[in-house]
Amino acid sequence: MQFPAQQQPDYPEPASVRYIQQQLQASPPLVPASEIQSLTGALKQVSDGQGFILQCGDCAEAFDQCREDVFSAWIDTVSQMTALLRCGLSQPVLKIGRIAGQYAKPRSSPDEVCNGISLPSYRGDIVNGHGFSVAERTPDPQRMLGAYHRAAVTLNALRNNSAGLSSESTATDSVFDPFYVSHEALLLPYDSALTRLNPADNQWYNGSAHTVWLGDRTSEPSQAHVEYLRGIANPVGIKCGPSMTAEKLGKLLQRLNPHNKPGKIMLIVRLGVAHIREKLPLLLQAVAGLNSPVIWLTDPMHGNTRSTVSGLKTRDFGTVCEEVRLFMQILRAQGVHPGGLHLEMTGRDVTECTGGLQKITDDDVGERYESLCDPRLNRSQSAELAGLTGQF
């Protein structure tokens, strides 16, 4: 049976895609099944109200940012955020990076027009280049190998600079200690090629990340991304935007977690301040009726994007904070554990989001705008938000 697959690039030579997939299938998985199982154990604790998730990183990782200084800044910032959250919430904090694989991005349009010229949209460095030329924008399957090797370098940097991600860990090590990694399961040729059968439990694992999430644009229950995700043992996130209905969410939970296993599903709410008061209670009621042990996270970034007068996308720090506050308030009012934050951020001193202690204005946004897609919180804003979350 064929399942329609949304948001996939139109590769000019399908035979080349199959060849690259064969090379990936012959390569070692980036993360072992044992680490994925450790993350599932940690998520079970969060599901029981005994922990909080910090899932954060780039909107879309760029190949040229695979550098030691970028890794160090990210690790330092996430470590600082973790300490602030742990102190404010009095709970252990589980660190999951949008890193070592977040190279693909869904797009609202397959094409981009500039000066009357139409070219394929930039879909992330794993697919094509950001430069506006035919050569750059033509999808190239060879880039999947580039993504694999850079993900391996990134994971190596995390292992060298943090306590954890060690496949030699003992039972006495806390499952909350490591940096785990995640990305949107968007480019199916890549994710499927790195999926392996684990003989120890006869389960299939996506060996490209510890956990992956289902995006808003690929979440139709009868289509290819859901069909792929229901076959793997990794924990799975589901992005829940304003278009998510109780009926659709129920179908997704039945397909992705039919046995209601705790630690399997994270619901990543990306409603925006304008919709969260109205829509989040409806989703909470739907899940309560299914008796499904999900973990609720807030993504306060995607629903609050706007453009400056100059046309740059930005997000207001105050609006982001307000959505986090409302998320925590609404869940607690219904007796549900707020499970975590899902943020687009960087350890670098960019000026992509307005506000915060630095008082970045619209006029400042273009000074240090490095993101290839969506605006990210900078180092100072990330730490400030972590500190405030502990007070909400």
Side-chain angles (χ1 to χ4, degrees), residues 56-246:
C56 60
D58 268 316
C59 162
E61 291 178 277
F63 282 179
D64 64 6
Q65 295 296 296
C66 184
R67 305 198 315 260
E68 178 62 26
D69 62 319
V70 176
F71 300 148
S72 296
W74 185 86
I75 291 169
D76 288 347
T77 303
V78 174
S79 297
Q80 184 182 13
M81 296 171 73
T82 300
L84 290 165
L85 287 167
R86 188 187 298 123
C87 180
L89 298 171
S90 299
Q91 287 191 318
V93 176
L94 182 62
K95 305 178 293 293
I96 306 176
R98 290 174 53 111
I99 196 169
Q102 182 54 18
Y103 299 114
K105 288 295 293 181
R107 306 313 305 237
S108 56
S109 173
D111 301 301
E112 179 183 348
V113 178
C114 182
N115 296 324
I117 299 172
S118 177
L119 292 175
S121 294
Y122 171 65
R123 291 185 176 274
D125 279 5
I126 195 172
V127 173
N128 55 5
H130 190 262
F132 196 77
S133 68
V134 173
E136 281 279 289
R137 292 299 178 89
T138 300
D140 180 3
Q142 191 77 23
R143 285 175 168 269
M144 286 191 279
L145 292 180
Y148 173 85
H149 291 300
R150 285 172 176 83
V153 169
T154 303
L155 281 161
N156 189 54
L158 290 177
R159 288 184 168 99
N160 288 338
N161 287 277
S162 65
L165 279 180
S166 171
S167 57
E168 303 299 323
S169 61
T170 67
T172 57
D173 293 330
S174 170
V175 290
F176 278 76
D177 285 343
F179 280 103
Y180 297 98
V181 301
S182 67
H183 62 259
E184 180 177 353
L186 182 62
L187 188 61
L188 290 176
Y190 179 78
D191 282 292
S192 60
L194 288 169
T195 301
R196 303 284 188 272
L197 181 65
N198 181 39
D201 60 5
N202 202 37
Q203 299 265 355
W204 290 90
Y205 290 86
N206 182 332
S208 71
H210 298 101
T211 176
V212 290
W213 71 85
L214 178 68
D216 208 36
R217 294 186 176 99
T218 55
S219 61
E220 189 59 40
S222 63
Q223 295 190 357
H225 287 82
V226 175
E227 179 65 16
Y228 166 73
L229 290 173
R230 80 182 187 93
I232 62 174
N234 305 59
V236 171
I238 302 173
K239 283 291 188 85
C240 299
S243 64
M244 180 65 76
T245 64

Side-chain angles (χ1 to χ4, degrees), residues 219-352:
S219 61
E220 189 59 40
S222 63
Q223 295 190 357
H225 287 82
V226 175
E227 179 65 16
Y228 166 73
L229 290 173
R230 80 182 187 93
I232 62 174
N234 305 59
V236 171
I238 302 173
K239 283 291 188 85
C240 299
S243 64
M244 180 65 76
T245 64
E247 180 184 8
K248 181 179 177 181
L249 183 54
K251 289 180 180 179
L252 287 171
L253 292 174
Q254 286 179 333
R255 286 187 66 76
L256 296 176
N257 193 23
H259 303 297
N260 283 339
K261 295 179 180 179
K264 174 66 178 179
I265 299 293
M266 292 172 279
L267 297 183
I268 306 168
V269 178
R270 44 154 295 178
L271 295 171
V273 164
H275 300 287
I276 190 169
R277 290 183 182 88
E278 172 196 356
K279 293 185 177 293
L280 181 54
L282 299 177
L283 297 180
L284 285 164
Q285 291 168 18
V287 173
L290 294 170
N291 197 29
S292 184
V294 304
I295 301 168
W296 294 88
L297 283 76
T298 177
D299 170 0
M301 309 293 290
H302 282 90
N304 297 308
T305 306
R306 65 177 182 86
S307 295
T308 65
V309 174
S310 61
L312 288 172
K313 288 195 291 185
T314 190
R315 289 147 175 166
D316 299 316
F317 180 78
T319 304
V320 169
C321 289
E322 178 63 5
E323 181 159 1
V324 175
R325 187 189 70 80
L326 288 170
F327 169 82
M328 305 281 277
Q329 180 186 79
I330 292 168
L331 262 68
R332 286 172 174 157
Q334 296 204 20
V336 178
H337 175 60
L341 299 174
H342 183 109
L343 305 171
E344 290 184 341
M345 51 72 65
T346 176
R348 297 170 66 79
D349 292 322
V350 299
T351 55
E352 297 169 2

Side-chain angles (χ1 to χ4, degrees), residues 31-41 180 205-207 209-210 233-235:
V31 300
S34 60
E35 290 181 0
I36 298 170
Q37 292 162 353
S38 292
L39 173 59
T40 302
Y180 297 98
Y205 290 86
N206 182 332
H210 298 101
N234 305 59

